[in-house]
Amino acid sequence: MKDDGSDCLDGFVAVCRVGDIADPGKRVVEVGDNIIALFHVGGQFFAIDDICTHDGGPLADGQLVGFQIICPRHGARFDIRDGRALTMPATRGVRSYEVKVVKGQVWIRVPE
């Protein structure tokens, strides 16, 4: 879902309904100029940039294993809870975003 500015709550932007993503599952959402990988694991939602810091690959195309996403290009692993790089070849983490659920809607805060 693309942010058109119509669904904002205290700096958060509505991106989907809870039931839109299986648990465990993932999807890519666009909020402003940000392409974000949104994950649903263990009843919780997490959001990180959808770009590997090693070579710019799309992280959401990778395999989700627990709280880790594996970059499909070279196998770098990132923690979906905070964006930390866990394995080489990535040496830098990705930006993570605050996520909340209100009345069945998933919201992400993207700093300006």
Side-chain angles (χ1 to χ4, degrees):
M1 172 183 295
K2 188 172 181 177
D3 169 32
D4 62 5
S6 61
D7 294 317
C8 292
L9 175 69
D10 299 328
F12 286 80
V13 177
V15 293
C16 69
R17 309 260 335 137
V18 168
D20 292 343
I21 306 174
D23 184 357
K26 58 191 174 177
R27 102 183 304 182
V28 175
V29 297
E30 186 177 341
V31 180
D33 293 333
N34 301 283
I35 306 299
I36 298 171
L38 178 63
F39 303 94
H40 187 189
V41 177
Q44 296 180 297
F45 287 86
F46 306 95
I48 60 174
D49 278 337
D50 187 39
I51 298 175
C52 179
T53 56
H54 168 245
D55 76 348
L59 290 177
D61 286 353
Q63 181 181 5
L64 179 62
V65 179
F67 293 104
Q68 296 181 17
I69 188 71
I70 304 170
C71 180
R73 290 193 181 169
H74 299 106
R77 291 177 180 243
F78 295 86
D79 190 316
I80 64 170
R81 295 169 292 191
D82 60 13
R84 285 180 298 135
L86 301 173
T87 64
M88 297 290 283
T91 58
R92 290 182 298 113
V94 295
R95 179 172 47 174
S96 63
Y97 299 89
E98 187 177 355
V99 180
K100 67 180 176 179
V101 176
V102 178
K103 297 182 181 178
Q105 187 81 28
V106 181
W107 300 77
I108 297 175
R109 176 179 288 177
V110 177
E112 295 187 24

